[in-house]
């Protein structure tokens, strides 16, 4: 009777390493994705409804200028309304 792990004509005991090789490949791919692609977007678990401004977006720049005191509240709301009209940030008639 011949078994899978038999040295005489069978694949041998090295066939048991295939699951370990596949696990290493999957772990490697996930690690590479986490370090490159997913890092910039916040990961695959980031909520799709998250509309917080980030980086150098016009809304983020406007918020930073208002927070630092470069513009007053009236100017902030005026410019925010222009950005809302131009980019359509608010949906559903939020006032």
């Amino acid at each position: 009777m011949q078994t899978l792990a038999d040295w005489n004509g069978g694949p041998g005991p090295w066939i048991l390493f295939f699951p370990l090789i596949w696990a290493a490949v999957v772990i490697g791919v996930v690690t590479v994705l986490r370090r490159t692609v997913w890092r910039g977007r916040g990961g695959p678990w980031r909520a799709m409804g998250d509309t917080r401004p980030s980086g150098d977006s016009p809304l983020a720049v406007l918020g930073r200028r208002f927070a630092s005191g470069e513009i007053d509240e009236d100017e902030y709301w005026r410019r925010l309304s222009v950005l809302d009209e131009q980019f359509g940030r608010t949906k559903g008639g939020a006032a």
Side-chain angles (χ1 to χ4, degrees):
M1 181 160 108
Q2 199 168 8
T3 63
L4 270 179
D6 189 14
W7 283 96
N8 299 329
W14 56 268
I15 196 166
L16 301 175
F17 288 108
F18 277 119
L20 296 176
I21 292 170
W22 278 111
V25 167
V26 169
I27 289 171
V29 167
V30 169
T31 302
V32 167
L33 287 175
R34 287 188 69 183
R35 290 182 175 261
T36 57
V37 177
W38 291 343
R39 181 167 296 215
R41 295 185 317 206
W45 49 88
R46 183 175 181 179
M48 295 303 288
D50 191 10
T51 58
R52 291 180 295 172
S54 63
D56 292 332
S57 72
L59 293 174
V61 172
L62 181 63
R64 279 196 300 270
R65 289 187 63 198
F66 177 63
S68 68
E70 292 180 38
I71 58 175
D72 62 352
E73 186 177 358
D74 292 331
E75 182 72 15
Y76 172 78
W77 287 112
R78 207 170 328 125
R79 291 178 185 225
L80 184 64
S81 68
V82 170
L83 289 174
D84 284 343
E85 288 175 11
Q86 184 176 0
F87 295 111
R89 184 178 69 101
T90 58
K91 293 183 168 90

